[in-house]
Amino acid sequence: MPSVLLTDSISVELGAQEPWPNDVKLFQQYEVEQILLPDNANCLAVQAFLKMCQLNHTLEMRGNAEHMSPSGRVPFIKAGAFVVAELDPIVAFVANKGVTLTERLDTTQKADMRAYMSLVSNVLANAELYVSWVDPATYEDVTKPRYGSVYPWPINVFLTRQKRNQVVRRLRVLGWQQKTLEEVYNEVEHCCSALSERLDRQDFFFGKRPTELDALVFGHLFTLLTTPLPDNRLATIVRSFSNLVKLCQVVERDFFEKTNGGGSSSGNGEGDYDKLEDLNQLPM
Amino acid sequence: MELIVWDGEARYGLPSMDLKSLQMMAYIKFSGAPVTIIKSSNPFRSPTGRLPVFKCTDGAFSDFNQVATFLRKQNFSCDYELSPKQCSEVVAYEQLLLEKLYPALVYLWWVEPKSYYDVIHKWYFSSMPFPHKLWYPRKYHQGYCDLINSMFDDPDDNQLVETELHKQAQECLTMLSNRLGDREYFFGRSPSTLDAVIFSYLALLLKVDLKVPVLQNHIKACPNLSRYVSKTIQRFFPSG
């Protein structure tokens, strides 16, 4: 029989014993040469979340970050004796220490927030995986050279092929591998339309202060807007929703520019900021 | 227009034993579309190779969204009273159920050995004609095992898999219960697409007695959810 209460109470007990350490590190792949679309989205989302909670952390880039992670996915944080990977477990870990962005939300709003987070994780994340690993143009031009760039030949060839098989298998059981590229773009548009409808004219999805949903949406949309791909359809689709672009600009301005004085700590790259502001001037 | 669905089971009080069939049947009843519903237990003859299948002038569809779009074009919809924001909530909640509840349902029915062999396989085996009964249940079982295996890095650790799936499912059910509150349906007094989707999940989890009754007990412990399922069955599926 499953022991849900036991695992929950163990994690609360262990997590609550210490406050947030001073030397928390966030691990991801190399920003400029290696990281891919879906991983970049997740890493940015976690960085945004930690900045919104005002929890100090430093960014560490490692070529084998994916293999170091306990769940096999990036990003992951090392906080004292704990290593926690991916946004949802990190949110739960941070909540165990008493820090949360959603205390003023009622149960209905929390349920809605979780539903929209599922929407983003199911649609945008899978679309990013599809574009990176299944679409032949992007796979040959972008994914293949980047993924194996930190390894010597011939292991870079094997690892890339192994990863591709794994991703394609996963997308097949979820029903995404059989879709055409056009259908994937339609799903992304449908998802952005739902998010845009919900955001409406507000600053953030739930009022004047951001929540983990804003962090997750920022991570994915900022990545889609600023990553150059052979076919820029995804960026065009996101750009057509002006309130979503505005949300990204607000999160970037309020949480990423302020702490960029440290230089190496926020590894988003100076170039990215110019790109987002010049969005309207980019030729399409 | 006709809809061919998987057969139900009177013992459990279910109009159909299949998730997607229930969703489509519920949507059709809620929107009042004049569609004949035919019960079947053999997907072999279906034009798409799967059940349920919706046959109309535009062709044959097995996908819920395609059926809903077609009916909407014929002016049969249950979402007339929804605002655009509520429509976007419908999209979001469908994904929430797909992420949190669907894996648990699929696991409990098709992967967990005790329930699969004693309850589900037995039902499909006894309902389907020879020789299809020898092939289809095993094919579905394999497909769903692949799905669950792809979600976990260590799929052989049954305890971990079960605990994680149940945890997500219970959180989701509690959220649905809180969201429904005292209301009759999720968006007011008349049922919508979201109700069709949620009803199908809850009916299957509540009504079928499996060997691992954790989620069934959880739903029974949320009185508004059990009441929601019983009232919907009573009102829209009185004869099963």
Side-chain angles (χ1 to χ4, degrees):
Chain A
M1 291 286 280
S3 49
V4 175
L5 277 178
L6 187 60
T7 23
D8 271 351
S9 55
I10 289 176
S11 61
V12 168
E13 189 62 38
L14 288 178
Q17 278 172 359
E18 302 167 353
W20 187 256
N22 288 332
D23 59 348
V24 171
K25 298 196 176 63
L26 176 81
F27 290 86
Q28 65 170 56
Q29 295 104 326
Y30 290 107
E31 177 102 21
V32 179
E33 321 97 326
Q34 187 192 10
I35 200 168
L36 295 170
L37 197 63
D39 295 329
N40 200 14
N42 290 327
C43 294
L44 261 187
V46 170
Q47 283 182 56
F49 173 71
L50 291 176
K51 287 185 203 281
M52 287 170 185
C53 294
Q54 295 170 339
L55 294 171
N56 289 327
H57 62 283
T58 46
L59 201 62
E60 295 280 337
M61 300 200 198
R62 298 277 187 281
N64 60 342
E66 196 184 11
H67 305 292
M68 283 163 69
S69 160
S71 76
R73 285 181 268 275
V74 290
F76 65 95
I77 60 170
K78 181 174 179 309
F82 295 98
V83 182
V84 190
E86 294 183 83
L87 182 66
D88 284 340
I90 292 176
V91 171
F93 178 73
V94 163
N96 282 342
K97 299 207 181 290
V99 178
T100 167
L101 297 172
T102 51
E103 66 247 332
R104 50 203 167 80
L105 297 185
D106 62 34
T107 40
T108 308
Q109 288 173 311
K110 282 193 189 153
D112 288 349
M113 185 187 78
R114 263 259 106 261
Y116 281 99
M117 284 175 78
S118 291
L119 176 67
V120 174
S121 310
N122 280 357
V123 179
L124 291 184
N126 284 336
E128 285 157 8
L129 280 172
Y130 182 97
V131 165
S132 299
W133 292 95
V134 179
D135 172 43
T138 316
Y139 176 67
E140 293 293 330
D141 289 344
V142 179
T143 312
K144 223 158 100 170
R146 284 179 74 92
Y147 187 77
S149 61
V150 291
Y151 301 109
W153 186 89
I155 200 172
N156 57 352
V157 175
F158 294 144
L159 285 178
T160 312
R161 216 179 287 165
Q162 185 190 48
K163 174 81 180 176
R164 180 166 195 267
N165 289 342
Q166 197 187 22
V167 170
V168 166
R169 204 176 335 131
R170 188 181 155 83
L171 289 179
R172 192 180 327 128
V173 292
L174 291 172
W176 276 76
Q177 191 238 354
Q178 303 86 329
K179 292 190 206 268
T180 61
L181 194 57
E182 202 53 44
E183 284 171 352
V184 171
Y185 289 147
N186 285 340
E187 292 269 358
V188 171
E189 181 148 16
H190 194 50
C191 172
C192 289
S193 163
L195 288 171
S196 179
E197 220 33 85
R198 175 67 194 207
L199 180 62
D200 206 14
R201 279 192 265 271
Q202 299 174 101
D203 283 339
F204 299 108
F205 279 94
F206 291 97
K208 298 238 170 273
R209 283 166 47 203
T211 57
E212 43 262 34
L213 175 60
D214 300 284
L216 185 64
V217 169
F218 168 77
H220 282 275
L221 296 187
F222 188 91
T223 306
L224 289 177
L225 284 168
T226 56
T227 307
L229 292 173
D231 179 6
N232 275 319
R233 263 298 280 286
L234 286 174
T236 318
I237 291 174
V238 177
R239 216 174 285 143
S240 63
F241 296 96
S242 55
N243 58 349
L244 294 179
V245 175
K246 178 164 157 280
L247 171 72
C248 293
Q249 287 170 332
V250 167
V251 171
E252 187 201 0
R253 182 196 67 210
D254 288 349
F255 298 102
F256 282 87
E257 274 176 22
K258 257 194 292 201
T259 55
N260 200 30
S264 60
S265 66
S266 127
N268 290 325
E270 301 291 342
D272 285 346
Y273 298 126
D274 301 27
K275 274 193 220 160
L276 198 52
E277 269 145 23
D278 290 340
L279 225 43
N280 297 328
Q281 285 116 41
L282 273 179
M284 259 325 293
Chain B
M1 293 186 285
E2 11 179 82
L3 177 72
I4 309 179
V5 293
W6 279 100
D7 204 358
E9 178 58 54
R11 196 164 27 122
Y12 299 130
L14 272 181
S16 171
M17 283 288 272
D18 174 60
L19 183 74
K20 296 202 161 58
S21 305
L22 268 181
Q23 275 178 12
M24 288 202 208
M25 282 167 75
Y27 186 86
I28 284 172
K29 298 273 184 184
F30 293 165
S31 62
V35 177
T36 354
I37 297 185
I38 303 173
K39 304 262 176 94
S40 156
S41 46
N42 188 2
F44 188 69
R45 300 226 174 276
S46 150
T48 57
R50 290 178 296 174
L51 282 182
V53 65
F54 180 80
K55 289 194 192 160
C56 60
T57 47
D58 273 1
F61 305 127
S62 269
D63 179 47
F64 179 70
N65 287 326
Q66 285 174 318
V67 174
T69 314
F70 177 80
L71 286 176
R72 234 178 310 220
K73 281 197 257 185
Q74 311 289 320
N75 282 328
F76 291 109
S77 163
C78 35
D79 295 341
Y80 286 129
E81 295 169 6
L82 297 189
S83 67
K85 211 176 235 194
Q86 287 174 321
C87 287
S88 78
E89 274 177 32
V90 172
V91 175
Y93 271 95
E94 275 176 3
Q95 295 296 329
L96 176 72
L97 292 172
L98 211 58
E99 188 186 351
K100 291 204 174 258
L101 211 49
Y102 182 71
L105 174 65
V106 149
Y107 176 82
L108 281 175
W109 271 48
W110 292 96
V111 181
E112 205 271 314
K114 293 197 284 282
S115 301
Y116 170 62
Y117 286 113
D118 290 344
V119 181
I120 304 301
H121 182 92
K122 216 195 261 185
W123 186 86
Y124 276 89
F125 200 76
S126 56
S127 315
M128 294 183 72
F130 187 86
H132 305 111
K133 63 162 87 188
L134 297 175
W135 188 58
Y136 276 104
R138 204 136 24 116
K139 182 176 117 162
Y140 298 146
H141 170 69
Q142 198 50 49
Y144 289 123
C145 283
D146 285 341
L147 175 64
I148 299 291
N149 287 346
S150 77
M151 290 174 58
F152 291 95
D153 294 321
D154 183 15
D156 296 325
D157 186 350
N158 286 326
Q159 186 68 8
L160 180 75
V161 169
E162 265 194 43
T163 312
E164 182 60 32
L165 289 175
H166 277 97
K167 174 162 162 260
Q168 301 281 351
Q170 283 176 336
E171 272 173 23
C172 182
L173 289 171
T174 313
M175 272 193 270
L176 289 177
S177 178
N178 289 336
R179 184 77 172 68
L180 180 63
D182 290 328
R183 286 188 289 240
E184 223 177 304
Y185 297 104
F186 277 86
F187 287 122
R189 306 211 42 147
S190 56
S192 61
T193 313
L194 187 61
D195 293 287
V197 176
I198 296 182
F199 163 73
S200 58
Y201 280 97
L202 293 181
L204 287 184
L205 285 170
L206 180 64
K207 293 286 184 181
V208 180
D209 299 314
L210 298 170
K211 300 289 183 225
V212 181
V214 179
L215 292 185
Q216 192 183 31
N217 292 338
H218 194 98
I219 299 182
K220 285 187 189 160
C222 300
N224 60 348
L225 290 182
S226 3
R227 186 180 23 105
Y228 173 78
V229 173
S230 323
K231 267 176 76 173
T232 311
I233 293 186
Q234 210 178 15
R235 185 172 160 195
F236 291 99
F237 302 99
S239 52

